[in-house]
Amino acid sequence: MNILVIGAGAREHALLRGLSLDPAHPSLHVAPGNAGMTRLATVHPLSVTDAEATVALATEIGADLVVIGPEVPLVAGVSDALRAAGFAVFGPSRAAAQLEGSKAFAKEVMAAAGVNTATAEQIAPGASAEDIEAALDRFGPTWVVKDDGLAGGKGVVVTPRREAARAHVDSVLGAGNPVLLESFLDGPEVSLFCLVDGETVVPLLPAQDHKRAFDNDEGPNTGGMGAYTPLPWLPEGGVERIVREVCEPVAREMVARGTPYSGLLYAGLAWGQNGPAVVEFNARFGDPETQAVLALLRTPLAGLLDAVARGTLAQQPPLEWEEGSAVTVVLAAGGYPESPRKGDALAGIPADEDQAYTLHAGTAAAADAAEDGSGYVSAGGRVLSVVGKGGDLAQARRRAYGLIEQIEMEGSFYRKDIGAAAEEGRISTP
């Protein structure tokens, strides 16, 4: 089985690792990939939004399955071009991917499906200063301001300061994108990935992301600085409730609209007084939650993704999971997320073990790249993800931090508190 993975980050590295462990031993290809993926897959150059080039590459390697990692090619319609050429694709159509590509569209779908979410109002480019101020008057005292488009997880500002909210509104409108103002949803956040094949919905383990750059949830929003799974504080039956109240109704609504969903639906939620409410949807595996969730999956990944792509998910047996917990911690470049440094040398990356290993994201090979983990340089804001597994969250955290502490890169930083609040029992639902 030839599998082509589209993407270049730690999420795609986690997918490749999971696919490489499949008993069927698929032949793996990745495009455009990164330097750390060469041990698992053949790396091909590619612009991920170039549908014609993607189809040509899939044809060249005889791909039996194409797995699309990032949101950008999905919203650009690359999956449609591949399906039209006869390929099995894991990833929704362009129309279905609007659940992530347009937050206003997602709100419309949720309203039709009866899904609990924040109230929202859109501000279009060209709005007058008076209209913007009037809209801001209708929200607060905590403002949630979103770029109504793709922003790689960094287009959201949550602030009690009205001037900061207005500044983000002006920034997004200045870039030509609409703005979405939302009411603030209180309660701990939950990320739940669901495999969706029409009206068939199969949840993975719940996880929690850490978006802010620095410890204690301080600093700017990022694409994600770490995650852990499962969630010891989630109420009993919580996953089933999210599936029943959120994911299944949305899947049914998409089928009713003639745009059935096929792929990974990521529900980002806040668990408040009335239970789960949707903060946002993503149309693909989330990064960094994927790194932790897939670390515990025992069910062969290749067959699972292939079943979704071919419309046979309902025929698959229940998923199997390892006991225990998994934690991923992101090593970021100096200056991330505003202006990350590039070209800094990495050293001291330990050899991978079953219980603790490294996944590459923003790395490139230096001229003297070596098998011992030296010879890589930074090439992006989030440079590496380290993963630790254990019998409980405390052990998983120790293994993840024991690994990342060995890695050296000038100017780099990472959060020291990924999963700490859950380990210490400081998270609870209302």
Side-chain angles (χ1 to χ4, degrees):
M1 188 179 190
N2 285 333
I3 301 178
L4 171 61
V5 175
I6 304 299
R11 166 187 48 215
E12 287 76 31
H13 199 169
L15 286 165
L16 288 170
R17 185 180 186 277
L19 292 167
S20 73
L21 299 175
D22 196 289
H25 301 294
S27 176
L28 300 178
H29 300 260
V30 62
N34 66 48
M37 298 177 179
T38 56
R39 301 179 196 177
L40 295 177
T42 303
V43 179
H44 304 266
L46 182 74
S47 168
V48 298
T49 57
D50 189 333
E52 184 177 347
T54 305
V55 170
L57 176 58
T59 302
E60 176 188 337
I61 66 174
D64 299 296
L65 173 67
V66 181
V67 179
I68 300 179
E71 63 274 24
V72 174
L74 292 169
V75 173
V78 171
S79 63
D80 302 78
L82 286 162
R83 287 191 177 98
F87 292 100
V89 182
F90 182 86
S93 66
R94 179 177 186 172
Q98 286 304 301
L99 280 174
E100 177 170 5
S102 170
K103 295 173 180 64
F105 173 78
K107 292 290 185 184
E108 179 186 317
V109 169
M110 283 187 279
V115 170
N116 185 23
T117 187
T119 59
E121 181 176 334
Q122 188 185 73
I123 304 174
S128 68
E130 293 77 11
D131 287 342
I132 294 172
E133 289 298 322
L136 289 170
D137 287 341
R138 292 188 282 274
F139 292 83
T142 299
W143 283 268
V144 180
V145 186
K146 296 184 175 182
D147 185 333
D148 189 17
L150 298 180
K154 299 185 284 290
V156 181
V157 165
V158 180
T159 179
R161 297 172 51 241
R162 184 184 176 115
E163 61 271 25
R166 175 60 193 267
H168 193 55
V169 169
D170 291 342
S171 173
V172 174
L173 294 178
N177 292 340
V179 168
L180 209 66
L181 295 179
E182 288 189 354
S183 58
F184 177 69
L185 294 175
D186 203 1
E189 293 194 0
V190 180
S191 297
L192 184 66
F193 298 169
C194 287
L195 300 169
V196 180
D197 171 13
E199 294 190 12
T200 302
V201 177
V202 176
L204 306 186
L205 291 178
Q208 188 177 63
D209 184 14
H210 294 60
K211 281 289 188 186
R212 298 285 186 173
F214 308 125
D215 286 3
N216 303 312
D217 291 327
E218 296 181 356
N221 260 7
T222 70
M225 294 298 294
Y228 66 96
T229 187
L231 308 181
W233 48 265
L234 194 68
E236 185 176 353
V239 168
E240 291 77 12
R241 183 175 176 184
I242 294 169
V243 170
R244 183 175 66 251
E245 296 182 7
V246 174
C247 302
E248 289 180 342
V250 166
R252 288 194 296 269
E253 176 62 21
M254 295 299 285
V255 170
R257 288 169 175 254
T259 53
Y261 199 95
S262 173
L264 194 289
L265 180 64
Y266 168 162
L269 312 110
W271 196 289
Q273 292 285 351
N274 299 316
V278 175
V279 176
E280 65 177 355
F281 287 119
N282 288 338
R284 36 71 191 185
F285 280 102
D287 184 343
E289 297 97 323
T290 299
Q291 291 89 296
V293 171
L294 290 187
L296 298 180
L297 180 65
R298 280 184 173 166
T299 299
L301 183 61
L304 199 57
L305 302 187
D306 191 64
V308 176
R310 299 182 190 277
T312 61
L313 180 61
Q315 302 169 24
Q316 301 303 303
L319 301 186
E320 296 182 4
W321 298 94
E322 288 185 32
E323 296 290 334
S325 297
V327 173
T328 186
V329 182
V330 171
L331 181 76
Y336 177 75
E338 291 91 349
S339 53
R341 292 169 42 162
K342 296 182 181 180
D344 289 309
L346 282 152
I349 301 175
D352 289 347
E353 300 178 2
D354 179 62
Q355 300 296 309
Y357 52 87
T358 304
L359 300 168
H360 287 241
T363 64
D368 57 348
E371 288 295 311
D372 64 0
S374 62
Y376 294 105
V377 297
S378 62
R382 292 187 293 176
V383 181
L384 298 172
S385 286
V386 302
V387 177
K389 299 194 294 182
D392 56 22
L393 183 54
Q395 187 177 54
R397 293 188 71 243
R398 284 197 300 272
R399 285 175 172 158
Y401 281 107
L403 190 157
I404 202 169
E405 288 166 2
Q406 301 177 56
I407 301 173
E408 300 176 3
M409 188 182 85
E410 186 177 353
S412 65
F413 68 96
Y414 57 89
R415 284 185 57 161
K416 314 295 193 303
D417 62 348
I418 304 300
E423 179 191 342
E424 296 163 8
R426 292 188 281 113
I427 303 179
S428 61
T429 54

